[in-house]
């Protein structure tokens, strides 16, 4: 998801100059980083 966001950002900035591609790319990068960095579910290690 992060890679797709970066690709859309690059296309939006350099190739097409479309604001919508820049916006979608930025949203995908942010959401992808949040999903990768925030542990959701039972991924925490519990020490007893």
């Amino acid at each position: 998801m992060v890679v797709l966001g970066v690709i859309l950002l690059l296309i939006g900035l350099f190739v097409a100059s479309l604001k919508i591609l820049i916006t979608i790319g930025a949203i995908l990068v942010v959401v992808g980083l949040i999903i990768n960095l925030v542990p959701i579910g039972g991924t925490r290690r519990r020490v007893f």
Side-chain angles (χ1 to χ4, degrees):
M1 188 178 289
V2 176
V3 174
L4 180 63
V6 170
I7 291 172
L8 284 177
L9 276 172
L10 292 176
I11 291 173
L13 285 174
F14 298 117
V15 178
S17 297
L18 294 175
K19 297 284 185 182
I20 189 71
L21 285 180
I22 297 171
T23 305
I24 293 172
I27 290 171
L28 283 177
V29 168
V30 170
V31 170
L33 287 176
I34 289 173
I35 288 174
N36 284 325
L37 296 177
V38 175
I40 298 174
T43 58
R44 290 185 298 175
R45 294 182 182 169
R46 297 181 181 175
V47 177
F48 294 105

